[in-house]
Amino acid sequence: MASQTRPRRRNLWIYAFLMPTFVLYGVYTIYPIVASYWYSFVEWNGFSAEQRFVGVSNYEAVLADPLFWSSVRITLLFMLVVAPLRIFGAFFLAILLNSPRLPFARFFRTVYFLPVVTTTAIIGVVMRFILDPGAGPVAAVVGLFGLPPVDLLGDSATALVTTALVYVWKFFGITMIYWLAALQTIPQDVYDAARVDGAGGARIFRHITLPMLLPFLLIITVLTIEDCFHAFDLMQTMTAGGPFYSTEIIEIYIYRWAFAASIPQLGFASAAAVLFGVLVLVVVALQAWATLTSQRLRSQGTEKGRA
Amino acid sequence: MLDLSRLEISRRTFVGGVGVGALAGLLAACGGSGTAPGAGAGIRWWDHFGGLQDQHKIWAAEQAKKLGLPVEYTYNEPGRAVEALQLANQSKQLPDVYSNIVGLPLPALVDSGWVSPIELSDEALARLPEGTLVEGISMLDGVVYGLPVMSDRQYWACTWYNSEIAESVGFEPPRSYDEFRTALKAIADDGRFAPLTLALGASERMRDQADDLAQSGGFPGWQGLRYDTGEYAYEDDAYVNVIELLKEISDNGWLLPGTNSFQVPDARGRWAAGSVGFAVDGPWAPGGVRALNEAHLPKMATSGQLTPEGEDLVITRGAPAPVWFVAGNTKHPDEVNLLLESFTQDDYQAVLAEAMDQPPLNLDVVADADVIEPYAWLVEDYKKRVFRAPQPQVRNPAANEALAFMMPAAPHLGDIIQGYLGGDVTDLRGELVKLSDTANQNLDQAIDKAAGAGAKVSRDDWAFTDWQRGVDYAY
């Protein structure tokens, strides 16, 4: 009897400890997701109590809006520019910073990580001053060469690339930390053995470091790509989606309809948000599928080679 | 008796207790409406008028003494004020008095319990200028639901210039497009100053200014909607001419670098710094400039609003919009009514005037108020130039039901201007035609929805075939 009571009491404690997480996750994650699915089927302005069920007409309206597709294109373009820079740039930097021969390695790691812990909205505002074509330091440097002012954020041809580069700088450090953590998993013995066998730095990198880091590439890529879909705070403070929608990522599109419209359209915005969630899911699923398929093909190739 | 010396607390018990306590605290914090700090203890007053914060704090303190009840004043930034009210309403914590920033028409606010009737005394009613309270705008079935305290007689695309630069460079205050071009060119040729800045990054503000300039350029309506036909017609020459003027200014390099992405405070701040000749801004510019750089106030001058050939300006505006609402669930209706009545007094109107924000309802108080001369001149100009516009919801209050369903059009006029100046839009008139089509379609759909819900409303309610330019419209 006592032996049955003890596991039950222990389980109770486990649930008691998990309860805050369950409650917070439910209130701040599950509930908003479920609510947004419901809102996407109603016409509601957020002010009145009345929520009129309209079926899938919000989805039809979103899919028929050229500006929605423009925001999808811009979001994907932004991700395609930003993700490789973050993943591979951070990879090479992590290799460099992991070298025991590099002096001040801790200092450089801190310096590269510092933007990550700085408030994104503050960075957006400060960057607007830095890139100000009238009085910013960039304008001063350009002026030294006798060139006319360059309005990087005010020109639709340059605004997206400029914000993308600022985004990469801001979040570069977090991807670098992922890679540094991955590098720590490679046993030092393997490197020592390779050196005893006469392998140089390049061969060690090619035949030990790279192959042993490949399994981490999938998870780091998934995390980074998913992260790249969330650039609202930086984009809103730097360009607010302008000029002329050239930096309007889906998150800003959703915000515009939900909060910036004269009469908010929460149903329409929720439909766009649900479609955005589906897009993220599809992109990550495609990417995971491609990586797993390539790994399977590679392992099949290795087995055939052995046979 | 409890022996504390024998009470043993294990680490697990302690952590578990803390966890349960935290959870209980969290649940308590998510609890009912009655736990809100200050709710019910006094009058809570929220608004979004940045230029009036100091004055309203003082006014709240004075009224609290008179009413014998605390009056807690809170300013919310315009960008956040709507969300703040949405959240307050959902948690049944609407402030007793709040400013009109919710975009819904009055009947929708009444139906949803957002507002409650305002009982004004005869004395307070007598202080309001004639035609202030209008059925469909601030009243429904003779019951007052919203109190206007600011004048409808104003225009927003005022040509503000730096009088020191004007004297130094030697240009005349412009009234026509050509005079404006000449002045800007003179500043550009002089080379010491930037000719003009605008809030081009704030496309909604650009939309408002272009709407006003198009009206003063002869467009027989406002915000793209023709009064005579009730149809949207953004492709009208008056709109095209205004936008082409802005394009010419931009292409000539007469805009301060960075103007393309300036928000309102950016543009106003650069102009207030003193090295830009012109800024297009509303009558509230002096109040805004004072907050940024008071030393610039004496240099401020205005020539009113541009017309294509410098002809007399004619502007039309609807009935005064409600500024103050009373929450539907206020616990202090009598005291709140007294607070609202205080807004009709001349001393409050003088406070509004001296803030040099939007002109007060009683324009006459401006002449005796402590304001800069250009502000006083503008207000005098408003008295002569601004006429009462026809409004469908005044002729037929049921039109409000349709307006509540109206989807905004995107890209709107301000976006199109931004795109055309930046080179993203090449066929201006074609884009304006598309905007008109979308707006007409959205209005038709809104009317259909309202009619489907039982409202007696039709597109005819938007057409005022007897409207005459330069005459106050009477129904």
Side-chain angles (χ1 to χ4, degrees), chain B residues 251-313:
Chain B
D251 288 351
N252 285 341
W254 291 343
L255 292 175
L256 178 73
T259 291
N260 279 3
S261 49
F262 280 174
Q263 300 297 308
V264 174
D266 302 323
R268 194 178 290 150
R270 302 305 167 91
W271 186 69
S275 57
V276 184
F278 283 92
V280 178
D281 205 345
W284 48 80
V289 165
R290 178 157 56 194
L292 294 164
N293 178 21
E294 194 163 358
H296 190 69
L297 273 180
K299 300 174 195 168
M300 290 185 75
T302 183
S303 53
Q305 187 168 294
L306 296 175
T307 53
E309 304 292 337
E311 56 269 44
D312 281 347
L313 186 64

Side-chain angles (χ1 to χ4, degrees), chain A residues 51-93:
Chain A
Q51 296 177 6
R52 210 164 60 93
F53 185 79
V54 292
V56 294
S57 65
N58 282 328
Y59 287 93
E60 288 171 354
V62 169
L63 293 172
D65 183 2
L67 289 175
F68 171 74
W69 291 108
S70 161
S71 71
V72 170
R73 187 182 57 79
I74 290 165
T75 305
L76 290 175
L77 189 62
F78 182 81
M79 185 267 289
L80 288 173
V81 170
V82 163
L85 283 175
R86 272 183 66 180
I87 295 165
F88 297 109
F91 173 71
F92 289 112
L93 191 69

Side-chain angles (χ1 to χ4, degrees), chain A residues 13 17 19-20 23-24 43-49 52 67 128 132-134 149 151 153-154 156 243-245 255-257 259 261-266 268, chain B residues 12-13 15-16 23 26 82-83 86 89-90 102-104 112 114 257-258 260-261 266 270 403-408 410-412 415-416 418-419 424-425 449:
Chain A
W13 277 111
F17 281 120
M19 191 56 77
V23 170
L24 293 174
E43 189 176 278
W44 184 43
N45 53 38
F47 297 124
S48 60
R52 210 164 60 93
L67 289 175
R128 280 185 55 209
D132 185 325
D151 193 356
L153 295 177
S156 57
F244 197 65
Y245 304 99
Y255 176 82
R256 177 160 63 80
W257 283 103
F259 299 109
S262 51
I263 298 178
Q265 308 290 327
L266 290 179
F268 184 92
Chain B
R12 177 179 288 182
T13 310
V15 176
L23 185 62
L26 180 75
V82 176
E83 283 178 68
Q86 273 179 318
N89 182 55
Q90 282 164 16
V102 180
L104 284 187
S112 306
W114 273 78
N260 279 3
S261 49
D266 302 323
R270 302 305 167 91
L403 292 173
F405 283 117
M406 181 102 173
M407 281 271 282
H412 61 64
D415 297 324
I416 292 171
Q418 199 183 57
D424 298 294
V425 172
K449 282 179 187 171

